[in-house]
Amino acid sequence: MLSHSAILDDVLLELRDSHEEHQRNFEQHQRNFDENQRTTNAALQSLEAILLQLTRNHS
């Protein structure tokens, strides 16, 4: 039978591992979000340039 201390140590190790995994997942999510933001902004700038060109051609 495991002692209370051994059980607590095991629980703490599991919590630490879980926390580290969540931290890595959060950091990856943040990188994905930042990249999505960059590509979305680039697409919007391209669309704006196209719209300006179209409106100039039809003026």
Side-chain angles (χ1 to χ4, degrees), residues 15-56:
L15 282 171
R16 188 192 69 210
D17 290 347
S18 177
H19 173 73
E20 289 172 355
E21 183 178 354
H22 281 101
Q23 186 65 32
R24 285 190 301 273
N25 289 343
F26 173 79
E27 290 165 358
Q28 183 62 51
H29 173 76
Q30 190 66 48
R31 286 189 295 272
N32 292 347
F33 177 85
D34 292 343
E35 179 63 20
N36 182 265
Q37 194 79 25
R38 281 190 292 278
T39 58
T40 299
N41 287 340
L44 287 172
Q45 288 173 349
S46 294
L47 286 171
E48 182 179 23
I50 291 167
L51 281 172
L52 286 172
Q53 192 66 36
L54 288 171
T55 54
R56 285 184 189 136

Side-chain angles (χ1 to χ4, degrees), residues 6 11 14 34:
V11 168
E14 289 289 331
D34 292 343

